[in-house]
Amino acid sequence: KYYKEVIRAVSSSKKMMNFRLKQFKKINKDFKLRDKKIIEIGCGKGDYLRLLDKIYKNAYGLEGSFKNFKIAKKKKLKIFYGFPEKDDYKFTNFKFDCFFIFSYLEHIPDLKTFLKCIYNNLNPNAVGVVEVPNFDMILSKKLYSEFIIDHLYYFTKKTLTILLENNGFRVIKITEIFDNYILSAKVKRIDPLKLEDFSQTNL
């Protein structure tokens, strides 16, 4: 019942926060997002959002826990209270050029609706970063301790690619990061096929 809430303790990990800061700067450089509108889906209390806000002029967050939402608001972060649970749910009155999902996707019961909603809140050619625990590594090292009751899904590079590409995103690249514990996928929104060209056939 608490799957909408992001439970995260990264603010106490100096190693992770330093890693994220370097990562966000590189993503900004790669995708040229400095002046674009970006959003972190499931931003919790705003730990990562606070770093994103330092790098991007228009960094926003979406959080499904009202308690977390209020804490992030007190930090003077740009945050919306809500959750992508319907295809036509709008985060706000404008769309975004980039999205981030950090170790949240594996908690979501209805992945198709969740991703479709995010897709519908993005501008054409928007990009994103989707991260999940690395099940390839868990399998290879037989890490039984990595199975967590909150995680409804575990993704390998192959299954994460299939999921994202079946739901409107082209996977640019998937890499193993943070001592191989995390799969990090860079993606691009795929525009729908235009069928108008098929209306005139040459017989």
Side-chain angles (χ1 to χ4, degrees):
K1 65 182 181 179
Y2 54 89
Y3 67 89
K4 295 180 184 179
E5 180 179 357
V6 173
I7 302 169
R8 199 179 275 159
V10 294
S11 58
S12 61
S13 171
K14 188 175 181 180
K15 180 182 177 182
M16 175 59 88
M17 296 303 275
N18 288 336
F19 172 82
R20 290 300 188 195
L21 188 59
K22 291 178 183 177
Q23 179 192 28
F24 297 161
K25 287 179 179 178
K26 187 176 188 308
I27 292 168
N28 179 43
K29 183 179 179 181
D30 291 345
F31 288 137
K32 298 178 174 62
L33 297 168
R34 174 68 179 161
D35 299 316
K36 303 292 185 179
K37 293 183 175 66
I38 70 160
I39 187 163
E40 182 191 354
I41 310 297
C43 65
K45 297 174 183 177
D47 296 316
Y48 290 156
L49 185 57
R50 190 165 49 182
L51 295 181
L52 291 167
D53 191 54
K54 292 179 180 180
I55 300 167
Y56 306 101
K57 289 183 179 179
N58 299 294
Y60 298 82
L62 181 73
E63 172 58 26
S65 161
F66 191 66
K67 180 181 177 181
N68 285 345
F69 167 78
K70 289 193 295 183
I71 292 171
K73 265 288 188 184
K74 287 181 180 179
K75 296 175 183 177
K76 297 182 178 180
L77 298 169
K78 295 185 286 289
I79 183 171
F80 307 113
Y81 172 61
F83 181 81
E85 57 189 342
K86 293 183 180 179
D87 287 2
D88 59 356
Y89 174 71
K90 293 183 179 180
F91 302 160
T92 187
N93 60 356
F94 55 82
K95 293 189 176 183
F96 296 87
D97 304 295
C98 178
F99 72 100
F100 295 92
I101 305 174
F102 299 114
S103 298
Y104 188 43
L105 194 67
E106 65 274 12
H107 297 253
I108 308 302
D110 187 350
L111 293 173
K112 183 178 179 181
T113 299
F114 182 82
L115 290 170
K116 183 66 174 177
C117 180
I118 294 170
Y119 179 96
N120 289 338
N121 279 274
L122 299 174
N123 286 317
N125 298 314
V127 294
V129 175
V130 180
E131 294 188 356
V132 294
N134 182 5
F135 195 50
D136 285 314
M137 187 271 289
I138 293 171
L139 283 173
S140 67
K141 294 189 176 181
K142 298 179 175 59
L143 298 179
Y144 180 76
S145 60
E146 290 298 314
F147 287 99
I148 302 170
I149 195 169
D150 297 18
H151 293 182
L152 305 183
Y153 301 95
Y154 287 88
F155 297 99
T156 62
K157 285 184 180 180
K158 182 177 180 179
T159 58
L160 182 60
T161 299
I162 291 170
L163 174 72
L164 294 170
E165 295 199 338
N166 281 346
N167 287 281
F169 299 97
R170 178 173 63 86
V171 174
I172 301 169
K173 187 178 182 180
I174 295 183
T175 54
E176 296 177 320
I177 62 170
F178 207 69
D179 298 327
N180 297 331
Y181 272 88
I182 298 171
L183 290 178
S184 184
K186 291 181 179 178
V187 302
K188 185 174 183 180
R189 184 186 189 273
I190 302 171
D191 291 334
L193 285 173
K194 295 181 179 179
L195 300 180
E196 291 85 351
D197 294 340
F198 292 88
S199 61
Q200 296 182 357
T201 57
N202 296 318
L203 299 176

